[in-house]
Amino acid sequence: MDTKALSIRPFIGAKNFEISRQFYRDIGFEESIITPGMSLFKTATLGFYLQQAYVKDWVDNTMVFLEVSDVHKYWNNLNALNLTAKYEAVRLSAVNHFTWGSECYLHDPAGILWHIGQFNQ
């Protein structure tokens, strides 16, 4: 292919769009409203679209991997936000270590599973 890809932006759903919008702002993403039912959330050059759309089977099977430079520091920052007390369905796991690297898991208010990881060098 003779063209260069510039980004990948997955579309994810929200059971309650307003709660999910607040959740992603709370964890540090910047929101750009596209339409009343869709926003782009970005951090640095990375982004995803959050939609006011909920299909249980789709959302229950959606996973996103976010690579970070320091998973322990990222986990500490997430944990300090007390997300599990603020949002009913949100869950944050401890950091797990594997042969390839380390990761923690964060379930958003709709159930989207985020793998937040750091690869071994």
Side-chain angles (χ1 to χ4, degrees):
M1 181 147 323
D2 61 357
T3 60
K4 181 179 178 183
L6 301 177
S7 71
I8 282 184
R9 295 181 181 174
F11 289 78
I12 65 172
K15 192 171 192 176
N16 181 310
F17 188 61
E18 294 306 317
I19 289 174
S20 289
R21 288 177 64 211
Q22 184 60 53
F23 171 81
Y24 286 111
R25 289 190 302 258
D26 284 353
I27 65 172
F29 285 94
E30 294 180 22
E31 180 182 19
S32 296
I33 297 170
I34 306 297
T35 68
M38 183 167 57
S39 290
L40 170 64
F41 283 87
K42 290 181 74 175
T43 181
T45 61
L46 308 175
F48 65 93
Y49 295 104
L50 180 70
Q51 303 176 90
Q52 187 173 353
Y54 180 75
V55 176
K56 183 174 176 25
D57 286 345
W58 169 49
V59 169
D60 286 351
N61 288 288
T62 298
M63 293 186 281
V64 180
F65 187 94
L66 177 65
E67 182 184 0
V68 297
S69 60
D70 185 334
V71 71
H72 291 282
K73 185 174 181 179
Y74 203 92
W75 182 89
N76 286 331
N77 292 337
L78 289 173
N79 194 47
L81 295 172
N82 206 17
L83 298 167
T84 57
K86 185 173 182 180
Y87 298 98
E88 183 179 334
V90 169
R91 296 189 320 261
L92 175 64
S93 76
V95 175
N96 295 294
H97 303 282
F98 303 97
T99 57
W100 57 266
S102 302
E103 70 179 344
C104 64
Y105 309 103
L106 177 66
H107 289 84
D108 87 349
I112 303 289
L113 174 58
W114 285 78
H115 293 247
I116 300 165
Q118 175 183 355
F119 294 105
N120 292 335
Q121 298 301 328

